[in-house]
Amino acid sequence: MAIVDIEVTYDGFKQMMEGLDWIEKSGVYIGIPEDESSREDEDITNAELLFIHTNGSPINNVPARPVIEPALREDSERLSSMLGKAFVYALQGKFEFASEQLKKTGMRGQNVARAWFTNPKNNWPPNAPSVVRAKLKKGSTNPRPLIDTGELRRSITYVINERGSRK
């Protein structure tokens, strides 16, 4: 958790209130945004696929292999520090710098989540022998959990919500 020291004077009160409004309406989100416009009813989206893998599906014999939450938790100290800088900029009325810091935080979160697929700390259960055989048959040289084409991993990105509008 980031700790921020701010000195407030009467002259800086309006600026601080504008900064607090910016903070309240702004955020960075890490994940897979669902694009309903390109969706066909019978296809499963990467967002839905990641949800299934995060929670597992006992009925389909799919173990839980969470990605985003544990990856961000592992890097929470650095991410919190980066968000803290954005908030300090906002409280100082430097919204362009605050926005840039949110983008940097989002990029860091995106990269941390993508790297989680190969991070030994993920403690994911190994693929079942039948899955390993199927992946080898498809041409995989290193059949790891959740990695076939890399499409799922690459679909993890970040979205900035700044002053209530998504970017």
Side-chain angles (χ1 to χ4, degrees):
M1 180 173 187
I3 297 174
V4 179
D5 288 327
I6 300 290
E7 181 180 323
V8 179
T9 63
Y10 180 76
D11 294 335
F13 184 73
K14 182 179 178 201
Q15 177 181 298
M16 183 187 75
M17 293 307 293
E18 289 173 354
L20 288 173
D21 182 57
W22 187 92
I23 291 168
E24 180 183 24
K25 294 178 180 173
S26 301
V28 58
Y29 303 92
I30 312 298
I32 302 175
E34 182 128 24
D35 183 7
E36 294 292 334
S37 64
S38 65
R39 181 175 179 170
E40 295 180 22
D41 288 335
E42 65 274 354
D43 291 340
I44 188 167
T45 67
N46 280 331
E48 292 166 335
L49 188 59
L50 186 61
F51 177 84
I52 291 167
H53 285 295
T54 294
N55 297 292
S57 175
I59 197 165
N60 293 310
N61 202 25
V62 175
R65 292 184 174 113
V67 177
I68 295 171
E69 291 87 353
L72 298 182
R73 195 173 1 212
E74 178 70 24
D75 197 50
S76 64
E77 190 172 310
R78 174 80 172 132
L79 291 168
S80 293
S81 173
M82 293 175 79
L83 281 176
K85 287 180 184 178
F87 295 155
V88 168
Y89 284 136
L91 291 173
Q92 294 170 344
K94 299 176 182 177
F95 300 116
E96 189 174 317
F97 290 115
S99 179
E100 226 14 75
Q101 191 63 33
L102 281 184
K103 291 175 188 173
K104 289 177 184 178
T105 305
M107 182 61 72
R108 170 110 184 153
Q110 168 189 298
N111 291 337
V112 165
R114 289 178 178 183
W116 192 252
F117 283 74
T118 57
N119 188 327
K121 292 180 181 180
N122 69 28
N123 292 318
W124 290 344
N127 284 326
S130 60
V131 173
V132 171
R133 284 192 299 276
K135 286 186 173 195
L136 289 171
K137 190 174 181 181
K138 287 182 181 179
S140 176
T141 57
N142 187 6
R144 296 189 228 181
L146 299 188
I147 299 177
D148 289 332
T149 64
E151 184 182 339
L152 180 64
R153 182 170 41 175
R154 283 190 304 274
S155 68
I156 296 173
T157 188
Y158 68 95
V159 174
I160 302 296
N161 185 20
E162 191 175 311
R163 292 188 180 229
S165 67
R166 189 171 154 174
K167 294 184 181 180

